[in-house]
Amino acid sequence: MILKRFLFTLPFFIAAGTILLLSSQTDVPDLNSVFVGFDKVLHLVLYFIYGLTIQFMVIGNFPESSKKKQIIISLAIGVIFGVIDEYYQSFQPGRIPDIVDWAADSIGILISLLFFGLIKRRMQNLLT
């Protein structure tokens, strides 16, 4: 049981650590040189992946919880972590918190919730 929880939780901590590591970088290239808004797309994609790891962690640690409760917990963790991440950036030289970045983070979490639900339904249909 402990190994199972560890395996479900490890990707969550790796993703969270990666996000904080990226947020601590002070010499950030101009990502909008690719196209305007590219940095927001990266936020969305990174938090989409993070959202998937949150859901694995929640399901692995709270399997008896209702689907609705798992979704609410996952959403809360992702959105709150996005706020913490933006706040953390305010302490990094050359970095500033941005509410639009946080919005992109939150959208990435929401999309991961929808995507994860579709995957689970497909898997259940294949198994029945």
Side-chain angles (χ1 to χ4, degrees):
M1 182 65 130
I2 293 173
L3 179 61
K4 176 185 166 193
R5 286 185 175 191
F6 174 77
L7 292 175
F8 274 91
T9 305
L10 184 62
F12 164 77
F13 282 113
I14 291 171
T18 301
I19 290 170
L20 291 177
L21 180 66
L22 292 171
S23 292
S24 68
Q25 303 302 308
T26 56
D27 188 25
V28 179
D30 180 17
L31 298 174
N32 288 322
S33 64
V34 177
F35 62 83
V36 175
F38 183 68
D39 66 319
K40 305 310 179 230
V41 172
L42 289 177
H43 274 264
L44 190 142
V45 169
L46 188 58
Y47 271 79
F48 169 81
I49 294 166
Y50 181 55
L52 294 175
T53 69
I54 293 170
Q55 292 171 80
F56 282 118
M57 186 266 300
V58 169
I59 288 170
N61 287 283
F62 307 103
E64 299 85 22
S65 296
S66 69
K67 182 177 173 181
K68 182 178 178 180
K69 191 171 188 176
Q70 290 174 345
I71 289 171
I72 291 169
I73 292 169
S74 297
L75 182 62
I77 291 170
V79 170
I80 291 169
F81 186 79
V83 170
I84 292 168
D85 178 37
E86 290 303 316
Y87 180 69
Y88 172 69
Q89 287 183 34
S90 70
F91 297 102
Q92 306 308 313
R95 302 295 298 268
I96 56 170
D98 184 355
I99 195 163
V100 181
D101 285 350
W102 173 76
D105 300 342
S106 299
I107 291 168
I109 296 291
L110 287 169
I111 293 171
S112 78
L113 289 167
L114 296 171
F115 186 79
F116 196 78
L118 290 172
I119 291 173
K120 279 178 63 176
R121 274 190 291 255
R122 292 260 184 189
M123 288 177 63
Q124 287 171 343
N125 288 341
L126 289 174
L127 295 173
T128 57

